[in-house]
Amino acid sequence: MPKTALITGITGQDGSYLAEFLLGKGYDVVGIKRRTSLITTDRVDHIYNNKNFTMVYGNLHDATSIYSIIDKYRPDEIYNIAAQSHVRVSFDVPEETVDSIALGTLRLLEATRLLCPDARFYQASSSEMYGDNPMVPQNEETRMTPASPYACAKLFAHNLIRNYRISYNMHASSGILFNHESPRRGETFVTRKITRAAARIKLGLQDKLYLGNLDAKRDWGYAGDYVKAMWLMLQQDEPDDYVIATGQTKTVREFLELVFDYAGLDIDDHVEFDSRFLRPHEVPILLGDPSKAKEKLGWSPTVDLDTLAKMMYRADFKIAQDEQTLVTNR
């Protein structure tokens, strides 16, 4: 019998890559999607008809739906990836953010504990939990000083995992994932905002790109690499927490330069500062130390930032070309 994996946040970047990866491993995959009035399944449309893939409606705000899904499918592995995941937006909708991440994780853990306590549980923790702690590189023991409602909620959920692991002997692990990007990244996140704008500027579909803090330093990797690390955590005999990162940091400005140089564009001609994109509480630097993941999981990243930036730009250029065709044919 194949294993069954349950993924929350199935229609997001990580959920879609993880579903592909697990289907390739022969899993039955059940993905939980939040009900919306707009169709938001584009990231998983290509696997929708896979006989081993099932998508169901559920919501981490709604304990009844979570209990019902877990009771029906009794998964072997649970990957909790769903969240209001935009850090800047979490200042505008703090209650929504905290409820979906902190209490949502609690609801899911309780349902797992009561209905299928032997299931292995992965929690998507975040490098944002380190906040404004300037001590780098950051590892599993680094002090966490969260600097946003999103990060505070993630730290609450992260501590829940340790609590349930010890209190109930659950196989529950957290991946402290540093920034991970791809062509499937949401358009409001800075890397995708840059690659999408560069492609549209190149084709004359827009002229300006407005950005906030260009000096923030981030450890950027490829989402397709990082979902493998999630799976590897749940294959270990003992649960634990792991930093997943590249071990290198670049500024937003450096990422911007990579993309605009590749596109043949001049930053001075097209990029302007907009204070609306600044966070009320900035995180100056995130730099992960993935030594533990490399040693214990045998994991290391395969895609560097230069390759990732070009991959994202090329994908957005194709989208912009299709957009240009539509405009031309009107």
Side-chain angles (χ1 to χ4, degrees), residues 67-134:
Y67 274 75
S68 176
I69 292 166
I70 289 181
D71 189 36
K72 179 177 181 179
Y73 293 100
R74 301 286 170 147
D76 301 286
E77 297 175 5
I78 297 171
Y79 296 86
N80 185 30
I81 303 173
Q84 189 303 101
S85 59
H86 197 287
V87 178
R88 176 63 187 84
V89 172
S90 76
F91 286 96
D92 300 323
V93 288
E95 187 174 343
E96 155 71 16
T97 302
V98 171
D99 190 86
S100 68
I101 296 172
L103 294 182
T105 301
L106 179 60
R107 294 179 188 114
L108 191 58
L109 277 169
E110 274 294 280
T112 303
R113 178 178 74 85
L114 294 172
L115 296 174
C116 53
D118 292 330
R120 298 190 171 193
F121 192 106
Y122 169 80
Q123 170 62 21
S125 290
S126 169
S127 60
E128 288 286 339
M129 299 186 305
Y130 296 115
D132 56 7
N133 184 349

Side-chain angles (χ1 to χ4, degrees), residues 51-65:
K51 64 183 179 61
N52 295 324
F53 178 68
T54 303
M55 191 161 63
V56 297
Y57 287 121
N59 197 312
L60 291 181
H61 297 292
D62 178 13
T64 301
S65 68

Side-chain angles (χ1 to χ4, degrees), residues 117-230:
D118 292 330
R120 298 190 171 193
F121 192 106
Y122 169 80
Q123 170 62 21
S125 290
S126 169
S127 60
E128 288 286 339
M129 299 186 305
Y130 296 115
D132 56 7
N133 184 349
M135 303 299 293
V136 293
Q138 293 134 341
N139 61 32
E140 295 80 5
E141 305 303 321
T142 302
R143 181 170 60 92
M144 295 177 178
T145 57
S148 66
Y150 169 82
C152 291
K154 279 292 186 182
L155 185 53
F156 179 96
H158 181 76
N159 285 326
L160 276 177
I161 294 301
R162 179 178 180 275
N163 179 247
Y164 273 64
R165 186 164 64 214
I166 295 170
S167 301
Y168 302 115
N169 198 33
M170 290 176 65
H171 195 294
S173 298
S174 290
I176 307 172
L177 271 58
F178 281 65
N179 294 64
H180 46 290
E181 318 297 319
S182 76
R184 300 180 194 173
R185 190 59 146 151
E187 293 176 1
T188 61
F189 291 86
V190 68
T191 50
R192 182 75 195 287
K193 187 176 178 181
I194 289 169
T195 58
R196 183 173 182 270
R200 297 185 82 251
I201 290 169
K202 187 69 175 178
L203 291 173
L205 294 171
Q206 75 180 67
D207 183 55
K208 296 292 184 181
L209 167 62
Y210 297 92
L211 296 172
N213 182 11
L214 297 184
D215 297 320
K217 294 181 178 179
R218 295 293 183 265
D219 185 325
W220 277 303
Y222 172 51
D225 283 339
Y226 285 36
V227 299
K228 182 178 181 181
M230 300 176 189

